[in-house]
Amino acid sequence: MPESLPRHLAVIMDGNGRWAKKRGMPRVMGHRKGVEVVKDIALYSAEVGISYLSLFAFSMENWKRPGDEVGFLMRLLDDYIERELETILSNNIRLTASGRMALLPEGTRKKLEAAIERSSSNGGMVLNLALSYGGRSEIIDVARRMAEEAKNGTLQPEDIDEEFFKSYLYNPEIPDVDLLIRTSGEMRISNFQLWRIAYSELYFTDKYWPDFSRADLDEAVQSFAGRERRFGKTTDQIDSPKSD
Ligand code: FPP
């Protein structure tokens, strides 16, 4: 894999509602078109050699949207799993999900769990759907588990360092985010991947998610390839690692 390709790409797929409104259509039509883009971008990411693709499909905060929009998004997720599972499997993609899954409707959750299980031995790209996901909730869930373990004596405060903390995140095998893309012109993180974006490169595009294309992904990856990632070090140290 070329070093210039992000190993973990995360995307905040924003602008579905505005895309639809611009066309005089109900917001949910933007989500429907958004799923088509999810299918294409996931396959393309696997094709170019991305190892982990995290997509922000539904946030903890999205539960506060009108009930009919939430219901529509859950049905879209159901349909996506039903219709795309064979393609996911035949492309050697491993499906996973991050978030408070217990909040999903039971039928959707079971379908998702079954799809995750069926793809679990695939060795290609990991497609991580962030569902009912919040970066703060993820960190709070870590803290709760650690507090439980501290209470029953299996965890000591000095056990906790960054490596250890990471191992309690959702899907701990998923590494830090290398490149975070947000569509629709907004320049916010919106509670996505808080722990894993500490040293991410950020890329913002004005395109609404339903208009995001393979060429737009190429452009983002190209921008990423041209960046110098120093992780707190100096340029000299990056250029000649022996001086560390
Ligand atoms: C943000 O657009 C997008 C969402 C809240 C949901 C993203 C969902 C999809 C792309 C489709 C579902 C995905 C899968 C995997 C089935 P917005 O509604 O906030 O747009 P706006 O900011 O223009 O209102």
Side-chain angles (χ1 to χ4, degrees):
M1 186 185 72
E3 209 178 288
S4 53
L5 197 64
R7 182 164 173 238
H8 183 185
L9 169 66
V11 188
I12 302 176
M13 309 180 289
D14 196 12
N16 294 348
R18 277 165 287 165
W19 180 90
K21 200 171 165 209
K22 211 172 84 182
R23 286 164 176 75
M25 301 194 293
R27 293 176 51 78
V28 291
M29 289 301 111
H31 297 317
R32 177 162 283 162
K33 179 70 170 53
V35 180
E36 296 308 312
V37 178
V38 165
K39 292 178 191 171
D40 191 50
I41 292 296
L43 286 182
Y44 186 53
S45 300
E47 208 176 285
V48 299
I50 301 281
S51 302
Y52 300 87
L53 174 66
S54 290
L55 299 177
F56 206 1
F58 193 85
S59 71
M60 281 296 287
E61 291 72 25
N62 289 153
W63 288 116
K64 296 178 203 148
R65 290 196 174 190
D68 51 357
E69 184 170 336
V70 171
F72 190 92
L73 281 165
M74 291 301 138
R75 282 194 298 280
L76 271 186
L77 177 62
D78 278 357
D79 285 358
Y80 172 78
I81 299 165
E82 250 165 49
R83 293 190 192 162
E84 281 308 285
L85 185 57
E86 289 313 317
T87 309
I88 287 173
L89 296 175
S90 62
N91 283 275
N92 198 24
I93 293 171
R94 178 162 75 82
L95 183 67
T96 184
S98 298
R100 290 190 174 161
M101 294 305 135
L103 299 178
L104 294 179
E106 200 187 350
T108 305
R109 185 170 46 78
K110 289 204 164 135
K111 216 174 270 181
L112 183 63
E113 282 168 357
I116 290 172
E117 176 56 33
R118 278 197 63 195
S119 73
S120 61
S121 56
N122 285 356
M125 187 184 78
V126 172
L127 173 58
N128 176 36
L129 297 181
L131 291 164
S132 190
Y133 175 88
R136 287 182 175 176
S137 310
E138 179 173 29
I139 291 168
I140 285 170
D141 289 351
V142 170
R144 284 185 181 158
R145 279 174 57 207
M146 287 185 176
E148 279 299 324
E149 292 177 18
K151 195 167 76 175
N152 66 33
T154 56
L155 174 64
Q156 302 305 317
E158 56 275 18
D159 294 336
I160 304 172
D161 59 14
E162 289 193 13
E163 274 311 303
F164 187 83
F165 192 96
K166 245 161 61 179
S167 73
Y168 280 62
L169 294 172
Y170 303 142
N171 301 302
E173 77 285 6
I174 299 181
D176 279 356
V177 174
D178 297 299
L179 174 64
L180 173 68
I181 298 176
R182 182 175 188 140
T183 60
S184 93
E186 309 291 356
M187 297 196 199
R188 299 190 276 275
I189 300 300
S190 298
N191 203 12
F192 194 36
Q193 294 286 347
L194 294 183
W195 178 274
R196 290 181 173 97
I197 59 162
Y199 278 98
S200 297
E201 296 299 325
L202 308 179
Y203 184 89
F204 299 99
T205 167
D206 286 339
K207 286 268 180 92
Y208 293 144
W209 176 250
D211 287 329
F212 192 80
S213 65
R214 292 179 174 216
D216 294 318
L217 182 57
D218 286 341
E219 215 172 285
V221 167
Q222 231 166 49
S223 163
F224 173 82
R227 312 235 186 137
E228 181 186 66
R229 304 186 77 197
R230 292 194 293 276
F231 300 96
K233 296 183 180 177
T234 66
T235 300
D236 286 350
Q237 285 174 305
I238 303 298
D239 289 346
S240 45
K242 281 194 197 95
S243 67
D244 275 7

